[in-house]
Amino acid sequence: MKKILLLGCGNMGGALLKAWAANTDHLYTVADPAEPELPENVAQVRSVDELGEDMFDYLVVALKPQLIDTVLPDYLPHLAADGTISSIAAGYSAAKLAAHAPGRSVIRIMPNLPAVIGKGVSGLYAHGSVTETASREIEQLALCSGEIVWVDNEDMLDRLTAVAGSGPGYVFEMLRAYVEAAEALGFDEKDAKTLVLGTVQGALELALGSDRSLEDLRNNVTSKGGTTAAGLAALNATGEFSDLIRDTLQAAYQRAVELR
């Protein structure tokens, strides 16, 4: 059983905390001046003064990046000498975190929005010398909210952010356009949404449950000269759709690099 201090408890931090508290036996304390809804048996302090002499094995940063330089130093004295800093904050590098606490281990977690329902995909990056125990325990926390992928360097974490961290936004936009197109074919908004979301959910579950490639699955529903073939020809006849997806990820990655 470890003692974990969570700095900040906004939407993502709060959702992750609920998953962690429900699936682990660790002792959690939240440091937040607001009034977040907390799981049972999670303590809260509104300022560092309320911590007294409490010490923690893990300090998890869930603050807006612009607040970290101001808030983190006040709480570092409450991290055990062999403790680990972890962070779910996007746009704030592990090197910057490590600069606040030389000699401490740092692990970044990059979750995405579906983590709030336990269906997320999180990237993990261990900076510097991180013990196997710390890696394993942070990994177990991340697994509480979905799948995980470890990366070897922070540049790959930025690339993962472009794919998975920002990914739900791309998906929601594609769904919006799909529903809008269905409405243009004559369906009302309710039926269009039912058709689109049901189709996407079914296709996704089929893909997740199959060991066939996505290309094979696509070909399986595409008869030569049929309706699907006609639609696919319009969607990607010249490679424009594939190029658009690549450009989307590249733009997100470049922005992640700029925010380091």
Side-chain angles (χ1 to χ4, degrees):
M1 182 183 295
K2 300 293 185 178
K3 294 181 66 177
I4 298 176
L5 177 63
L6 181 67
L7 293 189
C9 193
N11 291 335
M12 182 60 77
L16 294 176
L17 175 63
K18 288 178 182 177
W20 298 346
N23 292 282
T24 69
D25 295 325
H26 301 313
L27 298 176
Y28 296 93
T29 298
V30 168
D32 195 308
E35 297 290 337
E37 182 180 343
L38 300 178
E40 188 177 356
N41 298 323
V42 171
Q44 180 183 1
V45 297
R46 290 164 180 79
S47 71
V48 67
D49 296 333
E50 295 180 29
L51 284 177
E53 297 183 359
D54 280 357
M55 299 297 290
F56 297 86
D57 302 292
Y58 292 94
L59 193 161
V60 181
V61 179
L63 300 164
K64 290 181 171 59
Q66 61 268 28
L67 297 177
I68 295 176
D69 288 338
T70 302
V71 176
L72 178 58
D74 290 341
Y75 288 88
L76 280 173
H78 294 275
L79 180 64
D82 59 350
T84 298
I85 300 172
S86 188
S87 172
I88 67 167
Y92 197 95
S93 71
K96 289 180 182 178
L97 290 167
H100 281 291
R104 285 327 199 323
S105 299
V106 174
I107 299 177
R108 284 187 62 192
I109 306 172
M110 178 51 58
N112 65 1
L113 184 60
V116 303
I117 60 168
K119 297 291 186 179
V121 178
S122 297
L124 284 82
Y125 165 64
H127 178 79
S129 178
V130 177
T131 67
E132 182 179 345
T133 296
S135 295
R136 184 174 63 252
E137 289 175 343
I138 292 296
E139 178 179 284
Q140 289 304 310
L141 291 181
L143 283 168
C144 291
S145 55
E147 302 290 337
I148 65 165
V149 174
W150 280 97
V151 295
D152 294 331
N153 57 68
E154 203 152 29
D155 183 65
M156 286 304 299
L157 193 66
D158 288 338
R159 294 172 188 267
L160 185 146
T161 300
V163 176
S166 298
Y170 319 147
V171 173
F172 293 142
E173 175 60 12
M174 287 187 281
L175 292 174
R176 182 205 61 77
Y178 196 172
V179 169
E180 188 177 82
E183 291 179 52
L185 281 179
F187 295 98
D188 62 32
E189 182 180 1
K190 179 177 179 297
D191 286 346
K193 192 172 182 181
T194 296
L195 288 168
V196 168
L197 296 186
T199 298
V200 171
Q201 181 180 24
L204 178 58
E205 291 183 5
L206 185 61
L208 288 171
S210 174
D211 57 3
R212 300 176 64 181
S213 71
L214 296 176
E215 184 177 13
D216 282 345
L217 291 172
R218 180 204 62 196
N219 292 341
N220 192 49
V221 297
T222 307
S223 300
K224 185 175 181 180
T227 58
T228 306
L232 287 172
L235 180 67
N236 203 31
T238 62
E240 291 177 356
F241 183 70
S242 295
D243 289 343
L244 179 60
I245 296 298
R246 279 192 291 268
D247 290 346
T248 298
L249 299 189
Q250 186 65 32
Y253 164 62
Q254 288 300 134
R255 183 55 180 157
V257 171
E258 292 168 3
L259 290 172
R260 286 179 189 170

